[in-house]
Amino acid sequence: MELRDSNKPSIDPRRLVRDEGTHALANILAATGYIPQSHTLSDVALALRQYHPILFGGPRGSGKTSLGEALAQACNLTLFYVPGVEGLTAGEVLGSWRVRAQEQAIEQLIQSGTDPRTARSLVWTEEFFERGEFLDAFAYASEAVQRNEPPPVLIVDEVEKLELKIQNLLLQPLARGWANVPKLLGVIGVREREHRPIVMLTSNNLKMLSEPLRSRCFVTWMDLATAEEEVQILRARVPEAGPYLIGAAVKITQLIKWDMPQVRDKPGLRESIDLLTALTEDGVTLLTENVIAEYLACLGKEQKELSNLRKALARLEDAANTDHPEIDRWVEAAFAVTKQAMNSEMRMPQEVHA
């Protein structure tokens, strides 16, 4: 769990979208450097308006997880994160009873004169239930209502890696906003849909998900960023980078994605951002074979991939430094938009103080 900053105001993105429209959601996400694809933005706005969980499908590197993180950051919301890890148990995701603590409490109650049957009935309370991260988000949502605080964001990442029985245990809270825990008095979560956590699930393979789980969510598909989108995203995420480095980074990643079949694990947006950030912070002004070789760790994740990239250093250098009419035009346009925005701010009338 990553708590919101209590010293800063928070925004309820559901209310924002309902009151100000989808463009307002795009603006607050852009302030964090996240530029969503138009259809994804529309789908997220719909899910927010309808208080519905949303499931993001798409290949690795398409920005699925980052969207949820950007929303939490932009709106200053508490963030809960459940990683889809093989072998994760239901207790780790949802919660489990603290059996040893229950046994000790029963012993103490009996020793103090409580009837054994009554003693055993008194230990099925939240005091003895250890919530997992998933149900913790729903419990927090209930507490947030009392504090007049917006609901948290809950990300379930790579949900297809969870066992089907665990996926099916998520159905009730996803559909209703609360969960019944066997033997626990009451429910965990909220009754009103506007107070539910903002649930975002991601998957690299939707076919591995149970049909009931998919049916509980709005589903959107996120494609890998086009070259034009990648330029816009890099400009937003690494604003200190100059035109040459942004263009070079995009030209390199586009070459790897579309013209180097020997590199099977293609770089996504995370790799592009890592590469551009490293180049910019190190003050690189020209990409040569030797320079690119120093930054291959940003692009390749496996020994074979790195080996193939090293063999293609000359091609990578050529791509970085060769004119590409479309990419060059998009880079120029991205910087022109920034310059225009700065000029508009400078032309705004200044506040006059008496």
Side-chain angles (χ1 to χ4, degrees):
M1 175 177 61
E2 185 177 338
L3 287 170
R4 60 185 283 273
D5 187 342
S6 60
N7 295 316
K8 296 180 180 179
S10 293
I11 297 171
D12 185 339
R14 290 166 171 160
R15 184 174 299 174
L16 178 74
V17 171
R18 282 178 170 270
D19 293 346
E20 301 183 33
T22 303
H23 69 279
L25 177 64
N27 290 338
I28 64 169
L29 290 173
T32 72
Y34 193 95
I35 311 295
Q37 294 171 330
S38 59
H39 69 276
T40 298
L41 180 67
S42 297
D43 293 340
V44 171
L46 174 63
L48 290 171
R49 290 197 305 272
Q50 295 300 311
Y51 312 104
H52 217 71
I54 185 165
L55 170 61
F56 299 92
R60 186 191 72 79
S62 54
K64 302 184 296 296
T65 308
S66 298
L67 200 160
E69 294 171 339
L71 183 67
Q73 178 187 347
C75 296
N76 187 30
L77 303 177
T78 293
L79 174 64
F80 290 83
Y81 178 82
V82 178
V85 178
E86 294 179 4
L88 207 63
T89 66
E92 291 170 316
V93 176
L94 292 148
S96 59
W97 290 105
R98 298 167 54 222
V99 177
R100 181 58 184 154
Q102 288 176 304
E103 292 173 347
Q104 291 175 342
I106 292 171
E107 290 175 5
Q108 292 172 359
L109 287 168
I110 293 174
Q111 289 173 4
S112 65
T114 305
D115 176 75
R117 183 174 180 179
T118 302
R120 285 192 289 270
S121 69
L122 293 175
V123 297
W124 302 103
T125 63
E126 286 207 43
E127 177 186 355
F128 298 98
F129 186 75
E130 187 72 31
R131 293 191 301 265
E133 185 84 349
F134 187 86
L135 283 189
D136 230 5
F138 287 83
Y140 185 97
S142 179
E143 298 164 1
V145 176
Q146 308 303 319
R147 297 191 295 265
N148 196 29
E149 173 190 326
V153 172
L154 168 59
I155 298 174
V156 185
D157 208 11
E158 298 188 43
V159 65
E160 77 277 4
K161 292 184 179 179
L162 299 178
E163 294 181 11
L164 284 177
K165 65 178 182 180
I166 298 179
Q167 293 181 27
N168 290 331
L169 288 173
L170 308 183
L171 301 181
Q172 185 189 47
L174 287 178
R176 299 182 181 179
W178 48 268
N180 282 116
V181 175
K183 295 188 178 182
L184 177 67
L185 182 63
V187 300
I188 296 177
V190 293
R191 298 286 186 178
E192 298 78 12
R193 63 177 189 160
E194 61 266 25
H195 298 148
R196 296 174 184 175
I198 298 167
V199 184
M200 298 181 162
L201 304 93
T202 77
S203 175
N204 296 330
N205 190 342
L206 295 178
K207 293 180 180 179
M208 294 179 65
L209 298 179
S210 72
E211 185 174 337
L213 179 63
R214 291 199 302 271
S215 73
R216 297 308 194 276
C217 307
F218 289 159
V219 180
T220 188
W221 182 263
M222 295 181 67
D223 298 304
L224 289 173
T226 64
E228 182 177 7
E229 291 169 339
E230 191 170 353
V231 168
Q232 295 172 348
I233 291 167
L234 292 182
R235 177 64 180 139
R237 292 295 296 272
V238 194
E240 62 273 20
Y244 168 74
L245 283 184
I246 290 180
V250 174
K251 291 171 186 176
I252 286 175
T253 57
Q254 290 297 307
L255 172 68
I256 297 172
K257 288 176 185 176
W258 306 114
D259 294 315
M260 294 182 66
Q262 68 273 31
V263 179
R264 295 185 178 182
D265 190 7
K266 304 298 186 182
L269 289 173
R270 185 177 291 107
E271 286 73 27
S272 299
I273 294 168
D274 286 345
L275 174 64
L276 182 59
T277 300
L279 292 171
T280 303
E281 291 182 352
D282 289 350
V284 173
T285 57
L286 180 65
L287 292 180
T288 64
E289 286 188 46
N290 291 336
V291 171
I292 295 171
E294 296 180 15
Y295 295 89
L296 289 184
C298 297
L299 298 170
K301 303 301 181 183
E302 296 183 9
Q303 181 180 3
K304 186 174 182 180
E305 310 297 338
L306 289 168
S307 176
N308 287 328
L309 288 171
R310 290 190 186 282
K311 293 175 183 177
L313 284 172
R315 290 186 66 194
L316 297 177
E317 177 188 345
D318 183 63
N321 295 290
T322 298
D323 291 341
H324 188 297
E326 287 186 330
I327 293 177
D328 293 338
R329 185 172 68 252
W330 291 327
V331 171
E332 183 179 354
F335 277 83
V337 167
T338 304
K339 184 176 180 180
Q340 184 178 11
M342 292 176 62
N343 289 338
S344 296
E345 291 181 2
M346 292 177 65
R347 288 195 298 269
M348 290 179 63
Q350 299 297 311
E351 184 179 356
V352 178
H353 297 275

